[in-house]
Amino acid sequence: MSRRIVSVALVLPLLALLLLVSDSPYPALPGPKRDAPRAIVAMGDSTMAGEGAGSYEPGTNGENDNWCHRSTKAQVHRTRVAGVDKVFNLACSGANSEQVGVTDQVRNTEGSQARQLAAIAREYRVSVVVVAVGANDDPRFADVLGACLRAWIERRADCAKAMADEWRARVERMTPKVERALRDIRRVLQDEGYTPRSYTLVLQSYAAPVAPGLPFDLQNLAGCPLRTGDLEWVRDKAVEQLSEGLRTAAEAAEARFLDLSKAGDRREACMGGKKADAEWFTRLTVDFDGLRDEARARHALQESFHPNDRGYEQFGRCLTEFLATTAREASCVAGDDGNLDAVVAKD
């Protein structure tokens, strides 16, 4: 008897057994049904949640101490992907890489975003996962801006001088944490039956919210109370180095990378002067009603120096263009018409 006949003789009984125990001749794989609706999922921190755009989803605007501030005007809701039927925004203001990954950590009353993704991936066919995270890890970018604000108030030396030496080290400590979060995302999708080629994973960086050159009468509590040297450092050094660290994390996790470091050029907070509607970022924003409530007072400045509705619209436009390509990396840069375009990186 030939080897082929022996092999067939062994395989046929196994196929018959499968037919007896299942309606399908093949065992069921994890993951959603073949005809499941397709979804795009956003994960990360405030810049992905939609902080600064208002119109926050019920339950995320301080209710039961949840301050995730997920906005219906967030970038992911302005992103268009062919064939996608459903949008999920899991991002939460204040989230760090650990919360995005698989963890028992709870922040803003919410747990692991990766575990939330796993639940979505069982019911929906996840086509795209876009992530923005890292600033709340070792860099603690919001705290740095707060220190620069205090430097302006106290009329002391530029905070950039104190930060410059340690900033790069902070970014270097952040990078492996972001990589780990991206790998956690890949692992939970793999556990749900996804292959790396069945979805797109994108990590994006951050845009500089402020810049030098703003009108002098807005370089105060009426707009952007930051010293000129600090404004220069934030735009030219801090945001650039943060983007480089995130690019390294994306490459290590084999994710695509969208560089937003130049996305706000000339559209930063206060740069529009009297034409605030030309800006893509919030100025110093104070919730005065919240100051009267002890529970809300510590969040009274939370929206300050984040993208606004117009900014998120432009970021969504750029991400839409990027997802329509097969490029591994691109940068969001304003075109001749003033809108953001995804400029593909040249090899």
Side-chain angles (χ1 to χ4, degrees), residues 144-227:
V144 169
L145 287 178
C148 290
L149 190 154
R150 289 193 297 275
W152 178 88
I153 293 173
E154 297 170 6
R155 304 296 179 186
R156 54 185 172 81
D158 295 355
C159 77
K161 293 180 179 178
M163 287 299 308
D165 292 339
E166 63 176 285
W167 181 256
R168 187 176 292 278
R170 288 191 184 195
V171 171
E172 289 175 352
R173 292 195 298 271
M174 169 208 75
T175 299
K177 297 176 182 178
V178 175
E179 178 190 344
R180 187 157 51 246
L182 296 174
R183 292 190 183 280
D184 280 356
I185 291 170
R186 288 208 181 277
R187 188 169 72 251
V188 298
L189 289 176
Q190 179 180 342
D191 290 345
E192 295 303 328
Y194 289 72
T195 65
R197 288 192 174 187
S198 67
Y199 66 94
T200 297
L201 176 62
V202 176
L203 177 68
Q204 69 178 42
S205 64
Y206 299 86
V210 293
L214 64 154
F216 181 75
D217 61 352
L218 285 177
Q219 202 168 352
N220 52 41
L221 292 173
C224 297
L226 300 167
R227 297 166 68 92

Side-chain angles (χ1 to χ4, degrees), residues 274-288:
K274 295 181 179 180
K275 298 180 179 178
D277 59 357
E279 299 164 5
W280 292 349
F281 298 83
T282 61
R283 301 177 180 186
L284 180 66
T285 304
V286 183
D287 178 6
F288 289 102

Side-chain angles (χ1 to χ4, degrees), residues 17-59:
L17 179 61
L18 287 173
L19 285 168
L20 286 173
V21 301
S22 173
D23 292 334
S24 169
Y26 305 103
L29 294 174
K33 297 178 181 178
R34 289 174 179 263
D35 60 349
R38 295 185 174 272
I40 179 173
V41 182
M43 304 173 69
D45 55 27
S46 58
T47 192
M48 188 58 70
E51 181 75 71
S55 187
Y56 301 120
E57 295 177 9

Side-chain angles (χ1 to χ4, degrees), residues 276-324:
D277 59 357
E279 299 164 5
W280 292 349
F281 298 83
T282 61
R283 301 177 180 186
L284 180 66
T285 304
V286 183
D287 178 6
F288 289 102
D289 290 335
L291 289 174
R292 301 188 186 98
D293 183 339
E294 184 177 349
R296 300 179 67 90
R298 60 193 177 93
H299 298 278
L301 301 178
Q302 186 169 317
E303 293 184 309
S304 300
F305 306 121
H306 281 87
N308 56 27
D309 181 10
R310 295 177 295 278
Y312 288 122
E313 182 178 11
Q314 290 292 329
F315 295 173
R317 169 193 169 92
C318 184
L319 179 58
T320 296
E321 286 191 7
F322 180 47
L323 291 173

Side-chain angles (χ1 to χ4, degrees), residues 28-259:
L29 294 174
K33 297 178 181 178
R34 289 174 179 263
D35 60 349
R38 295 185 174 272
I40 179 173
V41 182
M43 304 173 69
D45 55 27
S46 58
T47 192
M48 188 58 70
E51 181 75 71
S55 187
Y56 301 120
E57 295 177 9
T60 70
N61 191 24
E63 300 92 335
N64 298 315
D65 209 29
N66 183 316
W67 291 92
C68 285
H69 271 182
R70 283 192 284 269
S71 175
T72 60
K73 300 179 180 180
Q75 171 186 349
V76 69
H77 293 295
R78 270 69 181 281
T79 302
R80 302 289 176 262
V81 181
V84 165
D85 309 291
K86 184 72 173 178
V87 174
F88 290 95
N89 191 355
L90 304 180
C92 181
S93 291
N96 58 16
S97 294
E98 183 179 358
Q99 189 182 15
V100 169
V102 176
T103 181
D104 293 326
Q105 179 189 107
V106 175
R107 186 181 295 270
N108 269 332
T109 75
E110 297 194 3
S112 164
Q113 293 179 25
R115 286 182 175 146
Q116 295 177 59
L117 171 65
I120 293 169
R122 294 182 199 116
E123 184 176 354
Y124 295 85
R125 177 68 59 187
V126 174
S127 298
V128 178
V129 179
V130 57
V131 184
V133 74
N136 293 322
D137 287 282
D138 299 84
R140 302 199 65 80
F141 193 47
D143 290 350
V144 169
L145 287 178
C148 290
L149 190 154
R150 289 193 297 275
W152 178 88
I153 293 173
E154 297 170 6
R155 304 296 179 186
R156 54 185 172 81
D158 295 355
C159 77
K161 293 180 179 178
M163 287 299 308
D165 292 339
E166 63 176 285
W167 181 256
R168 187 176 292 278
R170 288 191 184 195
V171 171
E172 289 175 352
R173 292 195 298 271
M174 169 208 75
T175 299
K177 297 176 182 178
V178 175
E179 178 190 344
R180 187 157 51 246
L182 296 174
R183 292 190 183 280
D184 280 356
I185 291 170
R186 288 208 181 277
R187 188 169 72 251
V188 298
L189 289 176
Q190 179 180 342
D191 290 345
E192 295 303 328
Y194 289 72
T195 65
R197 288 192 174 187
S198 67
Y199 66 94
T200 297
L201 176 62
V202 176
L203 177 68
Q204 69 178 42
S205 64
Y206 299 86
V210 293
L214 64 154
F216 181 75
D217 61 352
L218 285 177
Q219 202 168 352
N220 52 41
L221 292 173
C224 297
L226 300 167
R227 297 166 68 92
T228 299
D230 295 335
L231 293 168
E232 292 174 346
W233 177 76
V234 167
R235 184 192 66 181
D236 300 334
K237 298 293 184 181
V239 171
E240 287 289 331
Q241 291 173 11
L242 186 57
S243 287
E244 286 303 313
L246 292 170
R247 177 182 284 105
T248 299
E251 290 176 352
E254 298 184 336
R256 297 173 68 183
F257 180 67
L258 186 60
D259 184 3

